[in-house]
Structures are given as C-alpha cells and as structure tokens.
Amino acid sequence: MDCQRFETLLVHLENGHVMVITLNRPDSLNAFNSQMSRELYEIFEGIAMDAGTLRCIVLTGSGDRAFCAGADLKERKNMSDEQWVLQHRIFERMVRAIRDCPLPIIGAVNGHAYGGGCEIAGLLDFLYASETARFALPETTLGIIPGAGGTQTLPRAVGERRAKELIFSGQPFTASDAFQWGLVNRVLPSSELLPAVLERAEKIANNAPLAVQRAKQSIHRGLQMSLSEALMYEIESYYRTVPTRDRKEGVLAFNEKRKPTFEGR
C-alpha cells in the first residue's frame, strides 16, 4: 500500500510489513477534528480493501504530550445540534473502520488519551503506554456520554464496575492504573515506548499473516458468542488455515530447523 500524504496524519512503513500511523496535530494535543476523522477512515478502509504487504499497524501520537486529546471542542464550539450530529456521523465511520481492520493494531500511547482519544485506544488490539500517559473518559462532565465506543470497550477491558466508576466520574487515571486494570499491556519510559512497540509489531509481522488475521477475527467474534458457538467458530477458522501455503511452510521450516518464510497465501 502506498503511503499517501495526509493533512493530519504522518504515515510510514517499517521494513515493508509494519505501518506506523501518527496522529499529527500536536498544537491541538492531536485532538481529532473532522479532517482527521476522514483521513483515519480513508486509511483504515483502504487497508481493509487491500492491505498489500502490510501485516501489522502501529498507531501513536505526535510529540510526547498527548496520544490524542479526543474530539476538537474548538471546532465544535458554535455547532448547531444538526451540525454536531452530522460531524459525529463522520466519527462513527472512523470508529467502524478502525474496529473492523483485519490487521492487528498496536497502540503506542505516548501521552494523554482523553475522551475520544481514550476511545480510539480502546478500539485497538492492545496497548503499550509511556509512564507519563494518562487516560480519561470525561464526557459526562461536558453533558454527553462516550460516543466512540467507550461505554463498550472500557468495560470489556477493565470490568463493568470499574468502567462505571471511571465513566460516571470522568476521573483521569494513570498508565500504571491502566496496566493494573487490564487496559494496557506494558508501561515503559517514553524513550523506550515506540522501539518496544515496533519490536512487538515486527514479531507479529514475521508470523503467518493469514493465521494472525484469523486469530484476531476468532477472538473478536468469539467474545460476542456463547462459548459453544465460539468454539465452533474457532474450529471453522482453524480449518481455513490448513490448506494455506503458509501452514505447509511453517511445518516444513520447523522440521528443517530454520526460520519460516511466510507469504500470506
């Protein structure tokens, strides 16, 4: 996939298989406006249609102050109710595009992830965070509720009661809290964050891409089913990997005691 030029995003490839997407509005703490939402929708929808050689995605923010401060309230300041709803529909398309991305997405949360920024983080497959990162869903302090997945993804990560406390109060919480509660996988010094995420992304990208995608789909869909239905779905997904060239290559490489070369076929 070609790395296009975007107004609010920086996009580059690492080793041909890992795409790094950086939210790039540092003067606004990387808050997403209508333009950023359109661009995130465009890039993730494009990946869903044709991922090319991509196998993993990293999402982070520009600078060291914020991952994403949420929706840009300055842009929303004088909106009518109708304009607000129309803009939110753009946000909804962005959320669906990120949620439905077939490739694994790792978040490198390099600073504040507030409001919609916390919700975007919650949509990703897993998160590493800097020691200075902070999280919050403060929408109830503004007269609204989380509307980009927060009331659904946060309870799935930290549990219903903890999520209710955080959403009802709007209280910020630290990267250490997020780690202890299960929202974040690792907490690192800021200087070590992106290198650690890229190392993990490269490890994922070196695995059989079709198998990784099937595993992601099986986990996501299985969690919406009963256990018996989910086990059947897992078996169906497993059998789809059996006739692939990557499965044959993986077993052959194991027996020949060498590193496999996966093609995504």
Side-chain angles (χ1 to χ4, degrees):
M1 173 178 292
D2 293 333
C3 289
Q4 305 173 48
R5 285 186 170 274
F6 293 96
E7 183 180 320
T8 67
L9 306 174
L10 299 176
V11 182
H12 74 274
L13 292 178
E14 290 277 340
N15 300 326
H17 295 306
V18 177
M19 176 179 279
V20 180
I21 302 172
T22 303
L23 308 178
N24 189 40
R25 299 186 70 227
D27 292 341
S28 301
L29 298 179
N30 301 320
F32 60 86
N33 57 5
S34 298
Q35 181 65 19
M36 181 183 282
S37 298
R38 289 190 187 97
E39 292 181 354
L40 284 169
Y41 168 79
E42 180 182 341
I43 196 166
F44 279 102
E45 186 69 12
I47 291 167
M49 293 178 65
D50 180 11
T53 62
L54 290 182
R55 298 183 179 182
C56 190
I57 300 167
V58 172
L59 184 64
T60 191
S62 182
D64 57 8
R65 295 177 61 200
F67 169 74
C68 175
D72 190 337
L73 295 183
K74 291 182 180 178
E75 183 182 50
R76 287 178 149 184
K77 182 177 179 181
N78 296 313
M79 283 186 177
S80 66
D81 292 352
E82 292 76 13
Q83 290 170 326
W84 188 291
V85 169
L86 286 173
Q87 186 201 41
H88 199 270
R89 288 175 181 165
I90 300 171
F91 296 167
E92 292 163 27
R93 293 178 67 191
M94 171 192 70
V95 166
R96 288 193 293 269
I98 296 172
R99 181 199 65 194
D100 295 339
C101 180
L103 303 184
I105 313 172
I106 309 172
V109 182
N110 54 304
H112 283 28
Y114 277 20
C118 185
E119 292 182 280
I120 287 176
L123 293 168
L124 309 184
D125 290 299
F126 60 91
L127 306 174
Y128 288 7
S130 71
E131 293 172 335
T132 57
R134 287 173 67 82
F135 300 81
L137 288 174
E139 284 83 354
T140 58
T141 70
L142 300 171
I144 53 176
I145 71 168
T151 64
Q152 304 306 308
T153 58
L154 191 66
R156 284 167 168 79
V158 306
E160 178 184 349
R161 290 180 179 275
R162 180 78 66 187
K164 285 178 176 176
E165 177 186 11
L166 295 170
I167 292 171
F168 295 172
S169 68
Q171 182 69 33
F173 54 99
T174 66
S176 177
D177 291 333
F179 173 73
Q180 293 178 35
W181 298 338
L183 179 63
V184 164
N185 291 53
R186 289 183 67 186
V187 178
L188 299 125
S190 296
S191 61
E192 299 176 17
L193 175 64
L194 194 56
V197 171
L198 290 173
E199 180 182 3
R200 180 58 65 198
E202 191 64 28
K203 178 66 175 76
I204 292 170
N206 286 334
N207 291 337
L210 294 179
V212 171
Q213 291 174 40
R214 284 287 173 188
K216 172 173 175 169
Q217 190 176 66
S218 184
I219 293 167
H220 276 337
R221 295 195 178 182
L223 287 172
Q224 316 307 316
M225 304 174 183
S226 68
L227 180 58
S228 60
E229 291 171 327
L231 289 170
M232 291 176 63
Y233 186 82
E234 178 189 81
I235 291 300
E236 178 185 341
S237 297
Y238 171 87
Y239 281 133
R240 289 180 178 269
T241 66
V242 172
T244 64
R245 291 175 60 170
D246 282 353
R247 193 273 302 172
K248 297 177 177 66
E249 165 64 9
V251 175
L252 182 63
F254 176 85
N255 283 287
E256 294 179 351
K257 298 181 180 180
R258 61 173 174 82
K259 185 178 179 180
T261 301
F262 293 121
E263 303 176 34
R265 293 190 285 176

